[in-house]
Amino acid sequence: MSEIAAKYDPSKTEDKWYSYWMDNGYFHSEPDEREPYTIVIPPPNVTGVLHMGHMLNNTIQDVLVRRARMQGKNACWVPGTDHASIATEAKVVRKLKDQGINKWDLSRDEFLEHAWEWTHKHGGIILEQLKKLGASCDWERTRFTMEDDLSDAVIDVFIDLYNKGLIYKGHRMVNWDPSALTAVSDEEVNHKEVQSKLYYVKYQVEGTDEWLTIATTRPETILGDTAICINPNDERFKHLHGKRAIVPMVKRSIPIIQDEYVDMEFGTGCLKVTPAHDENDYNLGKKHNLETIDILNPNGTLSEAAQFYVGEDRFVVRKKIAKDLEAAGNLVKVEDYMNKVGYSERTDAVIEPRLSEQWFVSMKKLAEPALENVVNGNVQFHPPKFVNTYKHWMENVRDWCISRQLWWGQRIPVYYAPNGEYVVAKSIEEAVEKFNAKNSDIRYQISDLKQDEDVVDTWFSSWLWPISVFNGFKDPDNKDINYYYPTNDLVTAPEILFFWVARMIMAGYEYRGELPFKNVYLTGIVRDKQRRKMSKSLGNSPDPLDLIEEFGADGVRVGMLLSSPAGNDLLFDEALCLQGRNFSNKIWNSFRLIQGWEIDENIPQPAEAKIAIDWFHSRFNKELEILDDHYSKFRLSDALMTTYKLVWNDFCSWYLEMVKPAYQQPIDRATLDATVQILEKLLKILHPFTPFITEEIWDNMGERTKEDRMIIAPWPQPGVSNEDLLVGFESAEKAIMEIRRIRNEKQIALKEKLQLQVKGNWDAMFNPVIEKLANLETIESVTEAPASASGFVVKGVEFFVLLEGLVDADEEKEKLQKELEYTKGFLVSVEKKLSNERFVSGAPEQVITIEKNKQADALAKIKALEEQIAAMA
């Protein structure tokens, strides 16, 4: 073993080992005879930088990939980025604006030049940051959703689904983002509960002195009203059937219609109907053949059709119209009102329902196999509680609006003739051929046709990700797709369960006839100690790179996973990273301790060392079975804690204390060799969680070749576990802790050797360990309790630490008497519980067993204390 530093310094090892792994191709995978293990990364936005959610998600993926690699599988973790249409276009538009350039002054091609320039400059930053975390991605396979092959796949799928009748063009209500100037899907709308105002406005019944009152949170839409609706069963308004009302301000005469959709108990019982600006109103409008008046421009300002406030922002108008309605005598009252309002996920603008002609995917047929194969368990969710959420979504699936009014993205492959007819084609040349083939009267040329201006939704590219990253559309029978697909595990967040995970499952069955992945691990949200979601706006999200710099990547990885059960939120505290760093230091110091031992080839192996080695092998084998079970059930936080306790408690706190030689004394060869082998096994199970420090220690333990690196060291296989040894050590551990307690209470110096007497059926197997760790001179078996001793009971066996000459006898007798009285009182409380029939009949068997064990221990302790007191008489 070579000399190692006194203190572990992550900054000197992390870059070194990451470069070594990269240079030697440990992350790269090619199809071969081994079992593949494949993960595709949830592609982060090309605009993005590393945040705490990425840290959690990618740490989990790396743990899974590193373990699979050590299991001898051909591990392939495919990285990449998403072109993020809305987010990227917004950033490019902002950049151009800062340069004094208006997007609309540019041609589409000119704008795309700027977008590509920005992407090449800023894209990929997040992938470089992931390397700091230790992510062992196959960087040679990095993909981007806008690269040629992946874009071609998007276009091919659009054409295929159109030809199957599953893509259609429709004029319907969509979620409109007035900031990004595009439609967004239902899943891209965040509904927030906000404090609003409820405006009560009265409408005159035409030709009468009667008035009807409606309540609305959006008084600006009154200018687009085309009906008032009442329930036909509402006795209050039956006399108004067939009547008309006058819209305030615009003085438009509108019909009073009847429909059972109106809830008679809600509000005033009268509903204003604005078909252009509310989905339910739109449905009522279609049913009753109402006029549709769109009073809003795409950017959220009022249009000419509104007649008032033209060109003014909708929220400015909301305040103005309230004052004007009040002045006109139409505003009855205003109340505070809590309601849910939809916000754009990308821009945080308030969404407007808007009638628009868009392209849609018919989802019902695509959803059927995707629902069936999750419900039947072919695709497994971890934790399974999300299956019900998924099932509800899929059983109520709505058609997917896939067109976006943007320039950055895959342009919709639809071409229009001057007369409005269109064809779907891969290129404009093919479109000309299609037009001319179906119409012999008109011969079109390329210059006659115009391609659809819209691009497809970004999710329309990422739903193909597990197939397209392996060129499964370009070459459906290539060796990569046949070997790596279906992938094994997907790690992602529950909030994109429907609009990414579900759609990938749909695409998998539609285009490969099978699932895209076998397991879906759903992470929680990273929150602060106050349970607030971490965000830049709240200022409660630390910079992950700063954390790595302060605590080391291994420390941060451990900190992130210490409290991160699948599907549950992580309450992050930097103290967790400190705990992770301390764990790394503990491992490092343990290695330094072992390295510092001098060997004497001639000395025999001590009895305590031999039993310690046998015990730890059994302990390791038992914990390894538990650890592998945690991994199989995706309980990664539990897997880490099992590893953590095995290393910190069992190895560092107990094993090393049992085997280490006395101060400045040598160690025997057998014990050192066994300890090094144990450390190597521990490093292997630590490596997925702490890759850098384990590789550094592994390297320092001896000469290593490229083929003998920690990153590809074989994962340990469970061996035989001797239960008698494990049970025996539990008793020995308790005895040692009790002797130490007595030594501390009696203020007996550590260097003072003690004598221990044992009364009862005691297996002396661990006596050498007890003698060493409790600093005992002798352990003697007796049949009677000695005088002047302090006792304790372990599993019914009585132990006595002889105190003659070490403590005051009268004081000791008084303490024993108090302890006896306390123990008798404790016994009474336990027996009272056990005599309670309701408790015994209702409590679980395990709880009853615990109480009976307490009773037995108390009885044994009372007996021992009484004997001790009697012996001192």
Side-chain angles (χ1 to χ4, degrees), residues 238-483:
K238 280 202 169 180
H239 67 288
L240 297 178
H241 292 192
K243 303 281 188 179
R244 298 179 72 84
I246 304 298
V247 179
M249 296 185 65
V250 292
K251 306 301 182 185
R252 182 185 305 118
S253 173
I254 56 174
I256 299 173
I257 61 173
Q258 297 86 47
D259 198 289
E260 291 187 346
Y261 165 76
V262 178
D263 183 351
M264 292 186 290
E265 304 302 319
F266 182 77
T268 64
C270 296
L271 178 75
K272 67 187 278 305
V273 184
T274 319
H277 299 290
D278 181 273
E279 187 164 4
N280 295 319
D281 289 9
Y282 173 68
N283 293 330
L284 277 173
K286 283 205 300 185
K287 181 177 178 182
H288 294 275
N289 199 27
L290 298 177
E291 182 184 4
T292 298
I293 302 173
D294 187 350
I295 62 145
L296 289 178
N297 293 314
N299 64 356
T301 60
L302 268 67
S303 68
E304 294 285 347
Q307 301 182 45
F308 291 82
Y309 320 109
V310 176
E312 295 187 57
D313 182 78
R314 55 191 166 148
F315 297 117
V316 172
V317 172
R318 184 169 299 175
K319 293 177 180 177
K320 283 188 174 183
I321 199 171
K323 291 180 180 178
D324 291 343
L325 287 169
E326 184 177 21
N330 292 97
L331 187 63
V332 179
K333 62 179 177 176
V334 180
E335 294 178 345
D336 288 333
Y337 183 66
M338 289 294 292
N339 66 325
K340 285 195 171 181
V341 176
Y343 288 78
S344 170
E345 182 187 58
R346 297 297 183 198
T347 65
D348 207 38
V350 174
I351 290 294
E352 280 293 340
R354 186 165 188 257
L355 277 175
S356 180
E357 194 167 58
Q358 305 285 346
W359 289 95
F360 295 87
V361 178
S362 178
M363 299 293 277
K364 190 175 180 188
K365 177 176 175 293
L366 292 170
E368 288 171 0
L371 173 58
E372 177 188 350
N373 285 283
V374 169
V375 172
N376 68 20
N378 287 340
V379 178
Q380 296 202 347
F381 288 176
H382 306 275
K385 67 180 183 180
F386 288 105
V387 171
N388 286 335
T389 305
Y390 178 90
K391 186 170 180 282
H392 174 75
W393 279 338
M394 297 297 273
E395 287 175 343
N396 298 279
V397 67
R398 299 175 64 177
D399 287 356
W400 176 13
C401 174
I402 58 167
S403 44
R404 298 290 180 269
Q405 290 63 56
L406 303 165
W407 283 350
W408 176 245
Q410 289 90 6
R411 194 171 179 181
I412 289 175
V414 175
Y415 297 86
Y416 297 89
N419 62 4
E421 286 186 60
Y422 62 84
V423 295
V424 175
K426 183 124 186 183
S427 67
I428 195 165
E429 291 80 9
E430 184 184 320
V432 169
E433 290 178 14
K434 283 191 171 186
F435 270 122
N436 291 339
K438 72 176 185 177
N439 193 337
S440 57
D441 296 335
I442 307 174
R443 307 302 293 176
Y444 288 116
Q445 298 179 13
I446 288 175
S447 59
D448 297 322
L449 305 186
K450 185 179 179 184
Q451 187 175 353
D452 197 300
E453 292 288 336
D454 292 350
V455 298
V456 293
D457 180 10
T458 300
W459 296 105
F460 195 79
S461 59
S462 53
W463 78 317
L464 311 176
W465 187 247
I467 304 173
S468 60
V469 294
F470 297 116
N471 289 329
F473 293 99
K474 181 181 181 182
D475 185 2
D477 201 32
N478 76 74
K479 66 176 183 177
D480 279 2
I481 192 75
N482 288 334
Y483 180 74

Side-chain angles (χ1 to χ4, degrees), residues 506-524:
M506 294 180 202
Y509 282 102
E510 181 68 17
Y511 289 103
R512 298 295 299 181
E514 59 182 330
L515 46 78
F517 28 72
K518 302 177 185 72
N519 296 288
V520 180
Y521 180 105
L522 295 154
T523 65

Side-chain angles (χ1 to χ4, degrees), residues 105 258 353 541:
D105 292 336
Q258 297 86 47
S541 181

Side-chain angles (χ1 to χ4, degrees), residues 167-232:
I167 282 185
Y168 63 93
K169 193 175 191 180
H171 190 79
R172 58 175 61 184
M173 189 71 68
V174 298
N175 302 304
W176 185 260
D177 181 338
S179 177
L181 299 178
T182 183
V184 294
S185 66
D186 291 343
E187 294 75 31
E188 292 169 300
V189 178
N190 295 326
H191 292 277
K192 304 178 189 177
E193 192 143 327
V194 298
Q195 182 68 57
S196 299
K197 299 286 186 185
L198 192 60
Y199 301 84
Y200 288 81
V201 181
K202 61 181 185 178
Y203 294 57
Q204 188 170 13
V205 177
E206 190 174 36
T208 74
D209 293 331
E210 189 174 356
W211 298 78
L212 291 174
T213 301
I214 60 92
T216 180
T217 57
R218 301 166 68 206
E220 68 278 8
T221 62
I222 285 172
L223 305 174
D225 286 355
T226 56
I228 285 180
C229 190
I230 54 178
N231 192 303

Side-chain angles (χ1 to χ4, degrees), residues 1 91 100 122 136 201 232 404 517 661 680 708 735 821 823 829 858:
M1 298 184 189
K91 285 182 181 291
H122 298 279
S136 58
V201 181
R404 298 290 180 269
F517 28 72
E680 286 185 341
D708 184 26
E821 290 171 7
T823 308
S829 67

